[in-house]
Amino acid sequence: MIKIKNLHANIDGKEILKGINLEVKAGEVHAIMGPNGSGKSTLSSVLAGREEFEVTEGSVEFDGKDLLDLAPEDRAREGLFLAFQYPIEIPGVSNINFLKTAINEKRAYLNQEPVSAKEFLGMVKEKSALVELDAKLANRSVNEGFSGGEKKRNEIFQMAMLTPKLAILDETDSGLDIDALRIVANGVNKLKSPNNATIVITHYQRLLDYIIPDFVHVLYDGKIVKSGSKDLALELEEKGYDWIKNESPL
Amino acid sequence: MENINTTIATSEKKDKFLEVLSTLDFTTENPTFLQHRITSQNELNELDFPTSKTEYWKYTRVGKIVNNTYTLGQPEKIDVSDFLIPNLDAQVLVIINGHVVADLSDFTSVDGVTLTSLSHAKKQNFEGLKKHFNQFTQDKKEIFLAFNNAFHTDGIYLEVAKNKIIEKPLHIINITTGNNTISQSRNLFLANVGSQVKIIESFVNVNGEKNFNNHVSELIISENAIMEYNKIQDKKETNFSIVTEQVYQEANSNFTINTATFNGALVRNNLNIEVDASNCETNLNGLYLGKNKDHIDNHTVVDHKKPHCNSNEIYRGVLDNESTGVFNGKVFVRPNAQKTNAFQQNNNILLTDNATVNSKPELEIYADDVKCSHGSTTGQIDEEAIFYLQSRGISKKGALKLMINAFAKDALERISIEALQAYIDNKIEERFI
């Protein structure tokens, strides 16, 4: 699904990613863990296409296409989804209107018919139930006045509506209480299929109790320094990131 | 020395205006109304065009308008179908270069509604007209208003009888044509006690550049009456407009004005609302979309003179390229006007580094038991929000459009005529494709 090879990226001339290698196949869940400042969010930003980051070396192949060559919207239309760590509030733009626009732009890109009003409303009803998102929130302005938990649920709701091939969840667990965490994780698990894949970026092991990863990678100083099974997350939780730092040859 | 020179220069410009306008013949006019003209001509002797030192015109230089040489705009017959609002069932009246053109208008007479040209109303010497004409526009020491008082040609006279509720909106299409023409149209709308009426006026242009329309409307909303006046300004970026509305509200009345300005080399709106009785509601909302070198200026005054009234004001601007927006909103709360709720807000989005906004919200409160707030924001489109929308598959352009539309449409949500709302929404959308 996605092949990241020797990815290097800068912001303001400072190198943050220093050669990431990662392959995620359909049906898999990968967790990327790492201490603050290790480059986790940079990785998700670079993959989603944030302009502030400059890729200086390496390649990313997404479903056979050169991902780095695509505009952010085309990456989304090809099936990439980023659940934001800090979802943006957009006053005046209704959640529903924006999602309909997004779905139809994606469909137009894929040479598909626009979604019918009936079909769309059916989707909204079904998908908002998936993350226990109040239907009223779906009609409100994007994230405006949403609580932290509602914002994160809204991210997963959007993910459900857009049915991506690859979802990247950037610190989706941050700021969530245990109930919200369970709801969000439950939503993600229900959306899992043999045809899609998920990358879970997190600082803590906690989320991985709910979303069970097939692989765990540890990011440190812009590189993946360790990979393993889900047990690696537990080991990290127990030993702390210093363990990795000390092991790291830097 | 310099001051004297400036004065000479501006009075020469005024003389040039007077020379053109004094060829208009009003000798056959009803003496009552002729006398108003003479009074205003005398007033003009004391007035000069504003300079950069005139506070009221601080952010809008009228050089473009007053340095030009004009000929009088004439009535014409032109196709107005482009200016009709789709799916709107309305009484249509057409003004061309300050003259009402009956052949182009499409209306049927309705019981309890006097709808005619101002010139005809003057001939008939209607009571309502006699009482209210020039009632609040005389002696304001404003040169463009005085020019219109003295030399207006024609416009629409609407009087709605007591307790009459007009179902069909009235749509006035106020057109200018030709290069370097000057026209001064004038309306008077009178809603008598308990009546209700909705008006739309489209200010548009057909062929021609650098023409100047100096328009005045007087609006009187009597006790318990409701009036909604919707103004669309779309005269293209080559023409000049100065529009003055003088509004007078009596007790328990409800007045809403929505102003949508889509372009203009120089557009200046002077909206003056006098709320002279209790329990009134006033809504004044505006949207201005500037591009290229457009200059769009909204000056509003709400004067609360009596207690227990509410006013709500939202003006929003989106300025592109090198365009300029000006907002100056003044709310007076007089000593008598206790329990006033006055809310005022101006928000602007600048789409480029060369676009400009001058925003000046002002409150002058002389009563102590009131709730008043005002605010002004000017900013750029939030790049983070654009990226967020892009990350969901919406193109950058589409994201921009979605955000500007949301911002802009919000200002005019008080338009109660569905077809008009759709028409304006559509015009906003077309603008940001």
Side-chain angles (χ1 to χ4, degrees):
Chain A
M1 171 121 356
I2 193 164
K3 276 183 205 156
I4 303 170
K5 279 186 192 156
N6 192 32
L7 185 65
H8 289 252
N10 289 353
I11 185 162
D12 299 332
K14 188 172 178 248
E15 189 171 48
I16 310 286
L17 300 185
K18 301 176 178 173
I20 304 258
N21 291 291
L22 179 68
E23 181 170 0
V24 177
K25 296 196 174 78
E28 294 177 349
V29 176
H30 288 238
I32 296 178
M33 302 182 70
N36 289 332
S38 59
K40 302 189 301 288
S41 284
T42 300
L43 177 61
S44 64
S45 293
V46 168
L47 295 178
R50 233 183 236 283
E51 276 173 12
E52 306 91 282
F53 294 93
E54 186 199 356
V55 173
T56 51
E57 216 181 319
S59 66
V60 180
E61 192 185 308
F62 181 55
D63 226 17
K65 292 206 164 72
D66 179 0
L67 186 79
L68 301 176
D69 207 30
L70 298 174
E73 56 269 34
D74 288 341
R75 297 179 192 200
R77 294 163 183 171
E78 289 286 348
L80 184 81
F81 181 90
L82 171 65
F84 280 54
Q85 182 177 3
Y86 304 108
I88 312 293
E89 295 191 15
I90 313 182
V93 176
S94 88
N95 232 353
I96 290 294
N97 191 11
F98 132 72
L99 271 174
K100 196 167 183 188
T101 308
I103 287 171
N104 282 336
E105 286 206 23
K106 180 178 178 177
R107 288 196 175 201
Y109 179 84
L110 300 173
N111 288 320
Q112 295 168 352
E113 289 288 305
V115 64
S116 75
K118 197 182 163 197
E119 190 187 349
F120 181 74
L121 286 176
M123 280 166 74
V124 169
K125 205 174 162 192
E126 181 197 343
K127 309 295 185 186
S128 56
L130 192 71
V131 284
E132 300 174 35
L133 189 72
D134 191 328
K136 280 186 213 125
L137 291 180
N139 282 311
R140 288 232 308 260
S141 291
V142 179
N143 293 322
E144 195 185 24
F146 285 29
S147 71
E150 284 167 347
K151 282 181 184 169
K152 295 296 173 81
R153 279 191 274 162
N154 194 25
E155 293 293 286
I156 307 305
F157 167 61
Q158 292 174 31
M159 172 178 154
M161 292 292 286
L162 292 164
T163 57
K165 290 180 205 157
L166 175 67
I168 302 167
L169 311 182
D170 187 6
E171 308 261 2
T172 295
D173 50 334
S174 69
L176 289 189
D177 63 33
I178 201 75
D179 290 330
L181 187 70
R182 188 185 45 74
I183 293 169
V184 163
N186 192 27
V188 172
N189 288 332
K190 278 188 186 153
L191 294 170
K192 208 178 139 182
S193 86
N195 304 316
N196 63 25
T198 311
I199 297 176
V200 182
I201 293 175
T202 181
H203 188 92
Y204 304 103
Q205 189 269 339
R206 188 176 70 147
L207 179 65
L208 305 180
D209 286 340
Y210 298 90
I211 303 172
I212 313 291
D214 300 300
F215 300 94
V216 174
H217 310 277
V218 182
L219 190 63
Y220 179 65
D221 194 28
K223 282 183 184 163
I224 289 175
V225 293
K226 210 171 182 62
S227 295
S229 70
K230 66 179 195 309
D231 297 335
L232 179 57
L234 294 167
E235 201 175 349
L236 262 180
E237 183 82 354
E238 193 183 314
K239 295 183 179 171
Y241 283 112
D242 282 343
W243 166 57
I244 295 293
K245 289 179 194 172
N246 296 336
E247 270 201 1
S248 166
L250 296 170
Chain B
M1 239 354 243
E2 202 182 305
N3 265 336
I4 295 167
N5 280 336
T6 321
T7 312
I8 290 169
T10 52
S11 67
E12 273 173 9
K13 285 169 194 163
K14 187 177 75 179
D15 290 343
K16 252 173 67 183
F17 267 65
L18 287 168
E19 207 176 294
V20 176
L21 294 168
S22 54
T23 60
L24 287 161
D25 180 11
F26 300 115
T27 47
T28 58
E29 193 161 272
N30 174 333
T32 319
F33 298 105
L34 191 58
Q35 190 51 48
H36 285 305
R37 292 188 188 271
I38 292 162
T39 308
S40 290
Q41 284 176 24
N42 291 335
E43 194 191 345
L44 274 172
N45 292 334
E46 312 297 319
L47 297 170
D48 263 317
F49 286 124
T51 65
S52 55
K53 293 187 185 78
T54 316
E55 183 66 25
Y56 190 52
W57 290 89
K58 193 173 174 187
Y59 301 106
T60 297
R61 306 287 151 84
V62 294
K64 273 187 273 192
I65 292 179
V66 301
N67 293 334
N68 199 18
T69 307
Y70 298 98
T71 55
L72 289 172
Q74 302 297 335
E76 285 179 44
K77 277 192 188 164
I78 44 179
D79 182 12
V80 299
S81 56
D82 276 358
F83 305 120
L84 297 174
I85 294 165
N87 306 316
L88 178 75
D89 185 14
Q91 303 264 44
V92 177
L93 291 130
V94 178
I95 302 172
I96 295 183
N97 296 324
H99 300 271
V100 177
V101 182
D103 298 358
L104 296 173
S105 303
D106 175 16
F107 68 100
T108 46
S109 66
V110 177
D111 240 15
V113 181
T114 310
L115 182 55
T116 179
S117 68
L118 183 69
S119 56
H120 179 74
K122 283 178 180 174
K123 275 190 196 122
Q124 298 293 316
N125 210 7
F126 289 132
E127 275 309 308
L129 183 68
K130 251 196 321 198
K131 185 175 172 200
H132 294 293
F133 186 79
N134 233 353
Q135 192 182 4
F136 305 105
T137 55
Q138 199 90 62
D139 228 10
K140 293 278 181 189
K141 305 276 172 256
E142 221 297 296
I143 187 167
F144 293 102
L145 186 54
F147 262 118
N148 187 292
N149 285 342
F151 298 107
H152 63 271
T153 45
D154 207 352
I156 302 303
Y157 176 71
L158 168 74
E159 180 174 351
V160 190
K162 189 177 172 183
N163 294 334
K164 172 73 189 174
I165 296 171
I166 304 187
E167 304 288 343
K168 267 194 199 182
L170 173 69
H171 184 199
I172 302 167
I173 307 176
N174 192 332
I175 305 174
T176 51
T177 69
N179 291 322
N180 308 303
T181 57
I182 186 169
S183 59
Q184 300 199 87
S185 42
R186 175 116 180 182
N187 300 328
L188 193 145
F189 308 135
L190 168 59
N192 280 310
V193 176
S195 65
Q196 297 183 18
V197 60
K198 293 175 187 178
I199 303 160
I200 303 164
E201 187 157 9
S202 305
F203 292 87
V204 291
N205 182 68
V206 177
N207 299 329
E209 296 188 356
K210 293 190 172 174
N211 59 45
F212 172 41
N213 177 233
N214 180 34
H215 176 86
V216 173
S217 288
E218 295 172 272
L219 305 91
I220 295 102
I221 304 96
S222 310
E223 261 188 68
N224 231 10
I226 302 176
M227 186 187 286
E228 177 180 324
Y229 178 54
N230 300 292
K231 201 165 103 187
I232 303 164
Q233 296 177 306
D234 188 12
K235 289 167 77 77
K236 308 300 171 226
E237 54 197 51
T238 47
N239 297 302
F240 316 124
S241 319
I242 295 179
V243 177
T244 304
E245 283 103 13
Q246 203 69 37
V247 183
Y248 186 76
Q249 283 190 257
E250 293 177 357
N252 306 308
S253 67
N254 185 318
F255 175 68
T256 299
I257 179 167
N258 297 298
T259 302
T261 308
F262 289 95
N263 44 49
L266 199 162
V267 176
R268 166 66 177 247
N269 291 312
N270 300 314
L271 169 59
N272 303 308
I273 304 176
E274 217 172 301
V275 189
D276 202 14
S278 291
N279 300 318
C280 293
E281 184 176 322
T282 311
N283 300 298
L284 49 160
N285 301 315
L287 171 68
Y288 42 99
L289 307 177
K291 64 182 172 190
N292 301 327
K293 293 194 168 178
D294 288 346
H295 182 107
I296 304 168
D297 178 346
N298 281 290
H299 267 60
T300 67
V301 176
V302 181
D303 194 351
H304 285 288
K305 294 183 159 175
K306 298 283 157 64
H308 295 285
C309 293
N310 297 330
S311 65
N312 300 294
E313 174 169 20
I314 298 176
Y315 272 72
R316 288 198 160 173
V318 181
L319 287 314
D320 201 354
N321 313 113
E322 297 163 61
S323 63
T324 303
V326 179
F327 174 80
N328 187 321
K330 222 176 215 178
V331 177
F332 290 101
V333 181
R334 303 291 177 185
N336 238 340
Q338 299 292 2
K339 306 282 181 191
T340 296
N341 288 320
F343 170 82
Q344 183 195 65
Q345 204 175 341
N346 174 232
N347 311 102
N348 300 284
I349 291 179
L350 302 179
L351 295 179
T352 71
D353 291 343
N354 297 320
T356 311
V357 160
N358 294 298
S359 175
K360 196 175 170 193
E362 295 178 86
L363 280 176
E364 278 190 35
I365 304 174
Y366 302 99
D368 55 11
D369 187 11
V370 300
K371 263 190 222 154
C372 297
S373 70
H374 65 172
S376 167
T377 62
T378 296
Q380 280 156 351
I381 289 274
D382 181 1
E383 289 291 332
E384 281 294 301
I386 295 284
F387 178 72
Y388 187 77
L389 295 172
Q390 276 183 287
S391 79
R392 301 302 185 243
I394 298 173
S395 67
K396 190 165 189 172
K397 252 184 156 171
L400 208 60
K401 196 177 143 182
L402 211 54
M403 291 190 62
I404 294 172
N405 274 322
F407 175 82
K409 286 175 185 176
D410 203 34
L412 297 178
E413 62 183 12
R414 279 193 188 266
I415 294 175
S416 73
I417 305 163
E418 232 171 272
L420 176 66
Q421 183 83 66
Y423 175 78
I424 287 179
D425 283 357
N426 195 34
K427 279 181 81 74
I428 295 169
E429 276 170 28
E430 275 173 6
R431 180 62 171 272
F432 297 105
I433 278 173

